[in-house]
Amino acid sequence: MNISSPWLRSYLSGQTKEPLVISTTGSGGIEKKVEIPAAALIASASAAHKYLGAKAGDSWSLLLPNNHIAGINVMARSILLDSELKNISERADFTSIVPTQLHKALNGDTELLKHLQGCRAVLVGGARTPDNLLEAARANQINVVTTYGATETCGGCVYNGIPLEGVEIQINGGIIELKVPEMNQGNWIKTNDLGEIKDGKLIVQGRVDDVIISGGENVSLTLLETFLETKFPNQNFLAVGINDEKWGQSIGLLSNKELPENLSELISRELGKPYLPKTIRVMAELPTIGIGKYDRTAAARLL
């Protein structure tokens, strides 16, 4: 469902009664539909603007598809600020992107880099953003703000680890649960993510389904990806579980660049032998789904 600004303006004002329903697909490839109340969009935009210090007349640029919650949120924020949406060739006060766009800006897309540098704040979400990518962005004068959320939470509702106004967080059995204004009838929303609250900030540790059992050992695919991203900056990694007659599941690894010969030695020494990939493939573009999440199902098929 592609949303136009006139339709969204009418929806936010209460003139349009047709519900806003968004299709979303997780990294596991299962599609579901989520209804987004107008009141939730307004509450989300208002809380975001309070966090960012935005005021009437400030502008947003739309660099995301308008059939995803992240893009729709940008449109709603622009409407509430009574400003026109900007594009990549224009200066904007704020924008919202996914990690793959940030990577492109720092690796040759000079137009996008200039645009992001001109923004007062750049929201980055939709998927896990490697620490080294965030550090590179800040070193290039991009004021990045990490966001965490899902379509079910009306998009990003935790900024730089801090919940937006009205949002509540709890950790139940290691799993992140959120309570978001006007969503899920005010009830707790159980995510599929593991996390902890440390020094008052939410630390997302990975998804529940990103942990596989190989040879009786619990192996975190996210931990392996994070480790490799730290060791090899400016390189992308996607680890998946592959059915294995001997081990139950083994690790398959995709990367967008060639890997060093001592990779196995490095992983064994730092993480242990259960983390050794049994299959490795190098490809220019790693498979994604939605607006930037890695597609583990497609990756497993490729391997």
Side-chain angles (χ1 to χ4, degrees):
M1 181 180 184
N2 287 298
I3 304 299
S4 67
S5 289
W7 187 94
L8 187 60
R9 187 182 295 275
S10 177
Y11 185 65
L12 294 176
S13 67
Q15 297 176 20
T16 296
K17 302 301 181 183
E18 177 189 356
L20 172 59
V21 179
I22 300 176
S23 295
T24 179
T25 306
S27 59
I30 300 175
E31 183 178 358
K32 54 186 171 182
K33 297 183 182 298
V34 180
E35 182 174 338
I36 310 293
L41 287 170
I42 294 171
S44 173
S46 299
H49 287 155
K50 183 172 183 178
Y51 180 95
L52 296 169
K55 60 185 185 301
D58 285 345
S59 59
W60 284 83
S61 64
L62 182 60
L63 306 182
L64 297 169
N66 63 353
N67 61 339
H68 289 274
I69 187 60
I72 293 170
N73 270 330
V74 167
M75 297 168 67
R77 295 172 195 143
S78 180
I79 290 170
L80 292 183
L81 290 178
D82 195 25
S83 61
E84 291 186 6
L85 279 171
K86 304 295 184 179
N87 59 45
I88 194 172
S89 64
E90 301 173 296
R91 186 200 165 275
D93 293 293
F94 307 102
T95 196
S96 182
I97 60 174
V98 294
T100 50
Q101 290 172 299
L102 184 58
H103 184 271
K104 289 178 181 177
L106 296 170
N107 288 273
D109 192 331
T110 54
E111 182 183 31
L112 179 56
L113 176 61
K114 182 179 179 181
H115 182 80
L116 299 183
Q117 290 171 329
C119 293
R120 286 160 50 191
V122 176
L123 306 185
V124 183
R128 182 177 62 85
T129 308
D131 289 340
N132 61 335
L133 189 60
L134 293 173
E135 291 170 4
R138 290 168 181 139
N140 280 273
Q141 290 77 52
I142 301 173
N143 181 26
V144 286
V145 176
T146 62
T147 70
Y148 169 75
T151 304
E152 294 86 346
T153 64
C154 195
C157 57
V158 180
Y159 284 18
N160 283 340
I162 303 296
L164 293 179
E165 186 174 70
V167 176
E168 298 178 54
I169 302 175
Q170 68 180 15
I171 308 298
N172 190 349
I175 297 175
I176 301 169
E177 295 184 355
L178 300 164
K179 187 180 288 187
V180 180
E182 309 300 336
M183 292 296 294
N184 199 33
Q185 300 177 327
N187 297 315
W188 286 98
I189 300 168
K190 184 177 181 180
T191 73
N192 199 32
D193 297 311
L194 300 169
E196 65 174 343
I197 297 175
K198 186 175 182 180
D199 298 327
K201 291 188 175 184
L202 175 66
I203 308 296
V204 182
Q205 299 169 324
R207 294 176 61 84
V208 174
D209 53 9
D210 288 351
V211 177
I212 67 170
I213 300 177
S214 183
E217 298 279 348
N218 288 337
V219 176
S220 169
L221 301 176
T222 301
L223 177 60
L224 175 60
E225 291 168 352
T226 303
F227 169 75
L228 292 173
E229 287 161 354
T230 301
K231 294 294 183 181
F232 307 101
N234 300 319
Q235 189 163 350
N236 298 328
F237 299 92
L238 175 54
V240 298
I242 300 174
N243 292 332
D244 189 299
E245 290 185 3
K246 181 178 180 180
W247 302 103
Q249 284 185 299
S250 62
I251 295 178
L253 182 67
L254 292 179
S255 180
N256 65 330
K257 296 179 183 178
E258 292 291 338
L259 292 162
E261 294 182 0
N262 67 337
L263 180 68
S264 295
E265 178 186 345
L266 183 65
I267 293 174
S268 295
R269 183 174 67 247
E270 299 285 343
L271 299 180
K273 289 185 177 180
Y275 281 85
L276 285 175
K278 300 296 189 295
T279 307
I280 297 176
R281 182 171 174 180
V282 177
M283 54 194 307
E285 294 286 339
L286 305 187
T288 58
I289 200 167
I291 59 170
K293 294 182 288 242
Y294 282 139
D295 189 342
R296 295 191 190 276
T297 301
R301 285 198 299 265
L302 287 170
L303 290 170

